[in-house]
Amino acid sequence: MNIFLLEDDADTAAFIARGLKEKGHQVEVAGDGVTAITRLLADRFDVIVLDRMVPGLDGLTVLKAVRAAGHATPVLMLTAKSQIADRVAGLEEGADDYLVKPFAFAELAARVTALGRRPLGSEAAAILKVADVEMNLLRREVRRGGKAVELQPREFTLLEQLMRNPGRVVTRTMLLDQVWNFGFDPKTNIVETHMSRLRSKLNEGFSRSAIRTVRGSGYLMEDSV
């Protein structure tokens, strides 16, 4: 895989890059946020690893710029900021995973590999369809009634979980675990906020909501129009 690493500590950057290269990956390293944004908007990478606290523009700002540009590249936030609020902030801005320093390289490598993994098999086997909503997992595309729906990575993953369970209620706890990797409830409205954005995009131009709230239980997509 072609991996981009933003890390301002030279020793840490060299350690991570060397380990990933030994596993057969290509690694490009930047030590500040401005350089990172310039490179990430100019080229495509398979996985992005961002340190949170770096000179110039911090990792969170870099992440916002990447997502605002429409790039769906998986992002791992790598940082010493371990508070729940810091994790939530990164995830809400579109990070796909969060690893706190100090870390074991084996865990970092495993998480990078997992983020870079893509569905295998034919394109037809990688298409989910529920009522008039269709998702192409390989192309990372969503359409409703034939109309393209542009989603941010976290919104895409949220919708995927619902579409893999047509006609069944998906609880908030399940979504926190499957979409945000929380094995507990962080007591935030992260699910509700992303669900609101997802619904707004899916329902634009349609009279019927694609996602139904089951009060006190969770959310579901019915496999009929």
Side-chain angles (χ1 to χ4, degrees):
M1 291 189 295
N2 190 14
I3 300 168
F4 185 89
L5 170 65
L6 171 60
E7 170 58 66
D8 65 318
D9 183 83
D11 291 338
T12 301
F15 168 70
I16 295 173
R18 182 172 61 252
L20 292 174
K21 288 177 180 177
E22 288 175 355
K23 290 186 172 295
H25 304 301
Q26 295 180 323
V27 183
E28 180 173 335
V29 179
D32 66 90
V34 174
T35 300
I37 289 178
T38 299
R39 289 295 301 123
L40 290 171
L41 297 186
D43 207 348
R44 295 280 178 162
F45 296 85
D46 297 307
V47 176
I48 300 170
V49 180
L50 299 178
D51 184 16
R52 178 78 181 266
M53 304 300 292
V54 294
L57 303 176
D58 68 6
L60 197 58
T61 301
V62 173
L63 174 60
K64 290 179 182 179
V66 169
R67 294 303 186 228
H71 290 209
T73 309
V75 173
L76 169 65
M77 296 296 291
L78 182 63
T79 176
K81 297 175 74 66
S82 60
Q83 297 299 313
I84 294 300
D86 297 318
R87 291 181 61 193
V88 170
L91 293 170
E92 286 184 333
E93 292 300 337
D96 297 275
D97 202 354
Y98 208 102
L99 185 59
V100 176
K101 297 177 180 178
F103 58 88
F105 176 77
E107 181 178 6
L108 181 145
R111 292 186 182 223
V112 166
T113 299
L115 288 177
R117 190 177 296 125
R118 288 293 182 265
L120 301 177
S122 67
E123 184 167 315
I127 292 178
L128 301 178
K129 191 170 185 354
V130 178
D132 57 350
V133 180
E134 185 175 290
M135 171 180 284
N136 188 312
L137 295 169
L138 290 178
R139 296 184 180 181
R140 309 292 288 180
E141 295 176 346
V142 173
R143 293 182 176 276
R144 183 175 185 190
K147 175 185 175 184
V149 181
E150 297 296 329
L151 299 179
Q152 292 296 318
R154 192 68 61 174
E155 296 163 354
F156 186 97
T157 304
L158 183 59
L159 178 61
E160 180 183 350
Q161 293 304 318
L162 295 173
M163 294 186 70
R164 288 188 182 278
N165 295 277
R168 295 193 292 269
V169 175
V170 180
T171 68
R172 183 177 185 276
T173 300
M174 291 168 62
L175 292 173
L176 283 168
D177 178 49
Q178 295 165 357
V179 180
W180 284 275
N181 296 318
F182 281 128
F184 59 94
D185 188 344
K187 304 302 180 184
T188 74
N189 64 347
I190 188 171
V191 174
E192 291 76 10
T193 298
H194 281 76
M195 186 65 71
S196 176
R197 294 173 183 167
L198 173 59
R199 276 176 157 158
S200 177
K201 293 178 179 181
L202 275 179
N203 295 339
E204 185 176 358
F206 295 88
S207 59
R208 170 185 169 275
S209 179
I211 301 170
R212 181 160 69 88
T213 298
V214 180
R215 190 174 298 277
S217 298
Y219 307 91
L220 70 79
M221 293 184 70
E222 295 176 321
D223 198 9
S224 61
V225 177

